[in-house]
Amino acid sequence: MSLPTLHPAGGYKKLFETVEELSSPVTAHVTGRIPTWLRGSLLRCGPGLFEVGAEPFYHLFDGQALLHKFDFKEGHVTYHRRFVRTDAYVRAMTEKRIVITEFGTYAYPDPCKNIFSRFFSYFKGVEVTDNALVNVYPVGEDYYACTETNFITKINPDTLETIKQVDLCKYVSVNGATAHPHVENDGTVYNIGNCFGKNFSLAYNIIRIPPLQADKEDPMNKSEVVVQFPCSDRFKPSYVHSFGLTPNYIVFVETPVKINLLKFLSSWSLWGANYMDCFESNETMGVWLHVAEKKKGRLLNIKYRTSAFNLFHHINTFEDNGFLIVDLCTWKGFEFVYNYLYLANLRANWDEVKKQAEKAPQPEARRYVLPLRFDKADTGKNLVTLPYTTATATLRSDETIWLEPEVIFSGPRHGKVTALSHRGSMSPISYPCPANLHLCKLNVKTKETWVWQEPDSYPSEPIFVSHPDALEEDDGVVLSIVISPGSGPKPAYLLILNAKDMSEVARAEVEVNIPVTFHGLFKRA
């Protein structure tokens, strides 16, 4: 007897369907009991418009930015969403066509223009998108939606109204910045972006935005470069999605996925390429890891090397007895995983989705250990002396340190691993990206796991919210937006899990579909 087909209704395709914004918040139907201490807003970003008129967007990271909010107040929950009024969105709505080139979709010139104006429009230079669909983060008392270019968009976290576009290039020397800044407890923001360094070579700047001061001046005006990391290739910076930070160190992982800058500047203007066309893989460099002292802004002259992988999300970085422990969500090999995230692949029938996923690099959560001090006499030896990890760091005769990881979680070949984490435990999620199948918590010390899963349900990246009086690192709840289009009249809900054992505490159901979301935060009331 043949096994039943998984996902026969193709409900996961609902993750990639255009939705309308809401004119006002809607009340969610709560089952279970919302913890009384859980007060505030879950804010998340993702694509919500997958075509403009008859013109489709082609890549997962092209759809126009939709900002979502679940509000928690006295055990009640409301849901609201609005499109971010970026230049890309407003111009598309005004002209009823795709106007600005996105990650994997080229914006063709206005067909109403004559041949001469269309020809000269190619030579205006690159018009960079401000489509802020990836994440949202605070700077001082303000909140910004962002993508990975130099443009971020100031939004009102209460009404979800768009306030203004901000160009980071006006404050610091970066060509763009990641959508994964680190926000410290005092409000200090750290981020990284590539830049032009010495002798016109590419480099990577760590930027610091201080917390709001007594003078109430916009912290953006006080942004500064803390340290500059060198680039392994003068004209081809690596794609950077996130980086590691501890109280004393900054860790930058330089992968073999490269941006061909010459192609970006020339072929884009002349031939109409998009961002995806400018990526290439260096099949021989492996991965370089760089470390700098955070407070002094000083590079450590230690060359850490390891075999090739893709990297998007750091799980955790911490210090222990002269070592930096760096936990990463990796994808094996040098092939760019984003090649598999075209919407045609993601909307295919389930068997085809699985087939494509089997071709893609395999995801793994890995732990790397970087020794901060060593002696030349230790050449050929493993420098790692920590008792709780099998990761190694071997000093070579050329004074490079070769790193081998401890694999702390290995997902199925058709999965993705992302995580929320603390030093002792973490919650990887394995799924056929980006249609999650389950949420899984893993204790990295004991390897014990806890799983939440329901049939034909697709949870988002989890957000951990700690209890205000937490005594242990997993005292709190996990929040995830779940799409369940085939299970009844309410096609989506916010799931609230006990972070201790991943058991359900409550859910807040809504009567509207919610498309895929990427990242976000919980803003306490």
Side-chain angles (χ1 to χ4, degrees):
M1 184 177 69
S2 60
L3 293 172
T5 304
L6 286 173
H7 316 279
Y12 55 90
K13 299 177 186 180
K14 289 283 186 181
L15 291 163
F16 320 115
E17 282 189 6
T18 291
V19 296
E20 294 182 353
E21 64 181 7
L22 299 175
S23 57
S24 60
V26 296
T27 301
H29 177 259
V30 175
T31 57
R33 187 180 291 264
I34 306 288
T36 55
W37 58 264
L38 188 63
R39 296 186 296 272
S41 304
L42 174 68
L43 297 169
R44 288 187 64 79
C45 285
L49 182 73
F50 292 90
E51 64 283 314
V52 180
E55 297 184 8
F57 290 108
Y58 294 106
H59 198 275
L60 177 64
F61 300 137
D62 295 346
Q64 297 302 285
L66 186 63
L67 189 60
H68 307 256
K69 181 179 71 153
F70 280 92
D71 253 342
F72 299 84
K73 187 176 182 181
E74 298 176 354
H76 299 285
V77 181
T78 59
Y79 170 66
H80 194 29
R81 67 184 179 212
R82 295 197 68 181
F83 283 104
V84 184
R85 265 61 177 178
T86 60
D87 277 1
Y89 176 81
V90 171
R91 289 170 64 185
M93 293 300 97
T94 302
E95 301 189 31
K96 295 180 173 54
R97 66 184 185 89
I98 298 170
V99 179
I100 296 180
T101 294
E102 298 293 351
F103 200 75
T105 303
Y106 174 64
Y108 288 94
D110 186 348
C112 296
K113 290 182 178 179
N114 64 42
I115 186 66
F116 296 105
S117 59
R118 275 187 280 162
F119 177 77
F120 285 113
S121 70
Y122 282 116
F123 296 93
K124 289 181 180 178
V126 176
E127 190 169 19
V128 175
T129 183
D130 63 344
N131 183 22
L133 77 164
V134 183
N135 205 354
V136 57
Y137 63 91
V139 175
E141 294 179 339
D142 301 321
Y143 283 78
Y144 292 89
C146 64
T147 178
E148 297 181 318
T149 68
N150 53 296
F151 293 116
I152 58 177
T153 303
K154 186 175 177 181
I155 56 99
N156 182 321
D158 298 319
T159 65
L160 305 188
E161 290 177 314
T162 301
I163 298 173
K164 66 175 182 179
Q165 181 199 81
V166 172
D167 184 354
L168 292 172
C169 292
K170 294 181 178 179
Y171 300 95
V172 284
S173 176
V174 288
N175 300 323
T178 77
H180 290 287
H182 288 269
V183 183
E184 300 196 308
N185 290 335
D186 68 353
T188 302
V189 178
Y190 285 88
N191 209 342
I192 187 171
N194 69 59
C195 64
F196 289 100
K198 297 178 180 178
N199 303 318
F200 296 102
S201 295
L202 268 293
Y204 311 90
N205 276 343
I206 295 288
I207 60 176
R208 176 183 178 272
I209 306 172
L212 190 68
Q213 305 295 315
D215 60 14
K216 296 294 183 179
E217 182 183 354
D218 185 354
M220 296 292 294
N221 294 325
K222 301 177 182 179
S223 305
E224 62 179 349
V225 174
V226 176
V227 67
Q228 186 171 102
F229 290 110
C231 183
S232 61
D233 190 313
R234 181 172 181 177
F235 294 117
K236 296 178 182 179
S238 291
Y239 173 68
V240 185
H241 194 82
S242 63
F243 64 105
L245 196 72
T246 74
N248 297 298
Y249 296 96
I250 303 164
V251 178
F252 165 49
V253 180
E254 191 176 14
T255 73
V257 176
K258 294 289 186 177
I259 303 169
N260 187 325
L261 186 67
L262 296 177
K263 189 173 182 181
F264 182 86
L265 295 175
S266 60
S267 70
W268 188 307
S269 298
L270 294 174
W271 307 320
N274 57 54
Y275 293 82
M276 279 295 292
D277 294 321
C278 301
F279 288 102
E280 60 186 47
S281 295
N282 184 322
E283 300 182 10
T284 59
M285 74 166 280
V287 169
W288 299 18
L289 291 88
H290 308 267
V291 176
E293 293 180 347
K294 178 177 160 189
K295 293 169 184 173
K296 295 180 180 178
R298 184 178 70 89
L299 288 174
L300 296 192
N301 187 27
I302 304 177
K303 299 176 181 178
Y304 303 101
R305 303 287 186 265
T306 190
S307 54
F309 57 77
N310 280 219
L311 171 67
F312 305 106
H313 301 113
H314 281 244
I315 300 169
N316 195 20
T317 311
F318 62 95
E319 306 166 24
D320 190 2
N321 286 316
F323 296 93
L324 285 176
I325 293 81
V326 182
D327 292 344
L328 305 173
C329 299
T330 70
W331 303 76
K332 293 181 179 180
F334 50 76
E335 185 183 7
F336 196 26
V337 173
Y338 287 4
N339 293 336
Y340 294 87
L341 299 184
Y342 283 95
L343 291 168
N345 293 339
L346 300 174
R347 291 167 171 157
N349 291 328
W350 189 252
D351 287 344
E352 185 60 30
V353 171
K354 285 180 62 179
K355 186 185 300 183
Q356 288 295 319
E358 286 167 0
K359 295 179 183 177
Q362 182 178 350
E364 278 187 344
R366 296 178 178 180
R367 168 164 290 178
Y368 289 89
V369 178
L370 285 57
L372 296 169
R373 294 177 293 275
F374 62 92
D375 191 292
K376 288 184 179 180
D378 293 325
T379 300
K381 297 179 181 177
N382 174 25
L383 306 176
V384 179
T385 56
L386 299 174
Y388 54 79
T389 181
T390 57
T392 63
T394 304
L395 180 62
R396 292 181 162 183
S397 57
D398 61 0
E399 296 189 13
T400 60
I401 296 179
W402 183 262
L403 306 175
E404 289 291 344
E406 173 189 359
V407 176
I408 50 181
F409 184 88
S410 186
R413 191 158 189 84
H414 55 280
K416 171 183 172 181
V417 178
T418 183
L420 57 90
S421 168
H422 297 281
R423 179 169 170 174
S425 65
M426 61 177 243
S427 298
I429 310 95
S430 165
Y431 58 90
C433 183
N436 306 13
L437 294 179
H438 62 265
L439 302 174
C440 171
K441 173 183 174 181
L442 166 72
N443 185 307
V444 297
K445 292 181 179 178
T446 66
K447 301 301 187 288
E448 187 177 5
T449 59
W450 299 261
V451 174
W452 179 91
Q453 183 174 15
E454 284 192 2
D456 297 321
S457 298
Y458 309 96
S460 73
E461 169 203 54
I463 298 286
F464 173 69
V465 184
S466 63
H467 191 288
D469 302 316
L471 298 177
E472 297 180 344
E473 67 178 8
D474 56 0
D475 282 346
V477 295
V478 172
L479 307 180
S480 176
I481 299 174
V482 180
I483 312 305
S484 55
S487 59
K490 295 180 173 60
Y493 57 91
L494 181 71
L495 177 68
I496 305 170
L497 301 176
N498 183 333
K500 288 279 187 185
D501 59 7
M502 301 296 278
S503 61
E504 182 171 334
V505 174
R507 64 178 64 186
E509 297 174 303
V510 294
E511 296 181 1
V512 293
N513 182 46
I514 300 177
V516 62
T517 59
F518 297 139
H519 303 294
L521 56 79
F522 186 80
K523 177 180 176 289
R524 293 183 186 270

